[in-house]
Amino acid sequence: MLNRLEMLRIFCAAAEARNFKEAAQRLGVSPQAVTRAVKELESQVGELLFHRNTRQSHITTFGEALAAQAKSGIQGIDEIFRAGRAKQNQQEVEGVVRITAPEAVQWFLVPFLAQLNIQYPALRFDLRFSNQATNVIDEQIDVGIRIGFMRDSRYVARTVADAPFFIVGTPELIARVGVPASAQELADKPVTAAIDPNTGKPWPWFLAGDEQWHPRSPAVVTNDTRAELNAVLQGMGFGQIIGFHAIPYLRNGELVSVLDELSPAPWTVNIYRPQRGPVAARVRVVFDWLVEQFGNPEYFASCL
C-alpha cells in the first residue's frame, strides 16, 4: 500500500496531466500504478475524483478542490525537506557536472544553472550543446536533456515538459508569397530546412498523424537551428520551428503561425542520467534541480 504522501503526489500529477498515461510518463511509473493510487485515494476520501472510461478521464469538482489543497500541502512538505537537505549537503556538493543538451534549450538551461550556482558555489559545469544524440555513458556525461522519446533502460529519465512545433513565417513573407493552404501548396513556397547531424540530410517536417513532409528545394539549409530561425525571421522562407525558439516571436508578432491543423503532437522534454550507483551528490542535486525547473509550467512558460 502506498503511503499517503506518495498517493497524493501521484494524484496531483494525474490532475495536471491530460490522462493517466501522461501522468505515468512524468512520474516514471506505469499507468496501472497511477490508476491504483487514484482508486486507493478515492476509497480513503469516499469521493469520486475522476470520471473515467476506456479512452479518457476528467477530474471531478471535488477532485479539483482536493488537488489544489494537496498541491499546497506537498509543496510545504517539500520545502521543509529541501531546506534541511540544502544545509546538510551544501558543503559536499562540489565538483564538475557534465551536461549534454540540444541547442534549443540552452537559453533556459544556463539561467537555471546560474540560479543553482548561487546556492552551491562550488559546483562547476561542463556544457555540451548538440542536436546529435549523445551516448552519455560512453562519453561520461552526468546529466542529459533530450527532446523526443526515450526507450533506453540504461538511463534514469524524467519527462518534464512538452515541446510543440510551429510552421511559421514573417508577416512580410506572407504578404509577398501568400499563406499556404496545404502541404502541397507549401512545396511551391520558399522554406528552410535543418540538417539532421545523425544522417547529414535535412530533417523532414513532422506533421499531424505521424506524417512527414520533405522540403524539395529549400531556400536555406543549415546545420544550426539558430541560423534557421534567423533565416525565417529575415523572411527567407517558412520554417518548422520548435516552440522554445518560436513562441517569443509569435507573441510579439514578428512571426505568424500557419497550417496549424498540420501541427504534430508535442514532443517530450526529458531529463536523464546513467542508471548507475551510487550517484554523486553534485549530480543528484543538478538532476533534481533541472527536473524541478523544467517541470515548472508557470516559470517555464514565463521564460518563453
Side-chain angles (χ1 to χ4, degrees):
M1 180 180 294
L2 290 170
N3 65 55
R4 291 181 175 179
L5 179 58
E6 187 62 23
M7 194 186 309
L8 288 173
R9 286 187 189 278
I10 294 175
F11 165 62
C12 287
E16 293 176 352
R18 290 171 291 189
N19 50 53
F20 285 6
K21 182 179 180 180
E22 180 180 300
Q25 290 175 335
R26 292 183 180 182
L27 295 169
V29 301
S30 68
Q32 292 78 11
V34 176
T35 300
R36 286 195 299 269
V38 170
K39 286 183 176 179
E40 190 172 336
L41 184 58
E42 287 177 332
S43 176
Q44 293 201 18
V45 300
E47 290 278 355
L48 189 68
L49 301 176
F50 291 90
H51 297 296
R52 301 188 288 277
N53 57 35
T54 56
R55 292 186 176 181
Q56 57 188 352
S57 61
H58 296 287
I59 194 166
T60 64
T61 301
F62 180 87
E64 288 181 340
L66 180 62
Q69 185 179 4
K71 183 177 180 181
S72 176
I74 290 171
Q75 288 175 340
I77 293 172
D78 285 345
E79 188 57 39
I80 292 173
F81 284 99
R82 189 180 298 115
R85 188 168 60 247
K87 290 181 180 178
Q88 179 180 355
N89 293 338
Q90 190 160 7
Q91 298 303 318
E92 60 188 67
V93 178
E94 61 181 2
V96 177
V97 177
R98 296 174 175 85
I99 302 173
T100 181
E103 296 171 353
V105 304
Q106 67 172 286
W107 303 113
F108 306 97
L109 177 61
V110 174
F112 289 159
L113 295 177
Q115 294 172 39
L116 184 63
N117 214 192
I118 294 174
Q119 186 175 357
Y120 298 103
L123 277 177
R124 292 175 287 141
F125 303 102
D126 182 339
L127 307 180
R128 308 297 174 93
F129 294 105
S130 173
N131 294 325
Q132 190 166 5
T134 301
N135 188 322
V136 300
I137 294 176
D138 293 345
E139 299 189 25
Q140 297 183 326
I141 297 293
D142 298 306
V143 179
I145 301 173
R146 182 176 296 174
I147 299 174
F149 300 107
M150 294 202 60
R151 297 185 176 91
D152 197 324
S153 61
R154 296 178 300 169
Y155 302 142
V156 174
R158 296 289 183 270
T159 298
V160 293
D162 288 331
F165 286 83
F166 300 90
I167 298 175
V168 295
T170 61
E172 294 77 13
L173 175 68
I174 291 173
R176 190 170 74 247
V177 304
V179 176
S182 66
Q184 290 73 22
E185 285 194 18
L186 191 61
D188 298 323
K189 310 288 186 186
V191 298
T192 65
I195 297 294
D196 178 354
N198 297 297
T199 66
K201 299 177 181 179
W203 280 101
W205 290 20
F206 299 96
L207 306 180
D210 295 326
E211 296 290 329
Q212 294 184 357
W213 182 79
H214 294 266
R216 288 184 307 197
S217 52
V220 178
V221 180
T222 176
N223 64 349
D224 188 321
T225 55
R226 292 166 298 180
E228 183 186 20
L229 172 65
N230 195 24
V232 173
L233 288 169
Q234 296 302 317
M236 299 177 72
F238 293 97
Q240 185 172 57
I241 305 296
I242 196 167
F244 299 127
H245 287 167
I247 288 176
Y249 299 101
L250 289 170
R251 286 181 173 172
N252 68 19
E254 289 187 56
L255 292 178
V256 176
S257 178
V258 301
L259 296 173
D260 292 338
E261 68 278 7
L262 297 183
S263 295
W267 288 17
T268 56
V269 180
N270 303 282
I271 313 293
Y272 64 102
R273 60 176 173 79
Q275 190 163 313
R276 63 190 181 203
V279 180
R282 69 182 188 281
V283 175
R284 186 175 298 280
V285 163
V286 172
F287 180 84
D288 290 346
W289 175 255
L290 293 179
V291 167
E292 179 181 350
Q293 297 306 305
F294 276 92
N296 183 339
E298 294 181 4
Y299 183 85
F300 202 54
S302 70
C303 293
L304 291 174

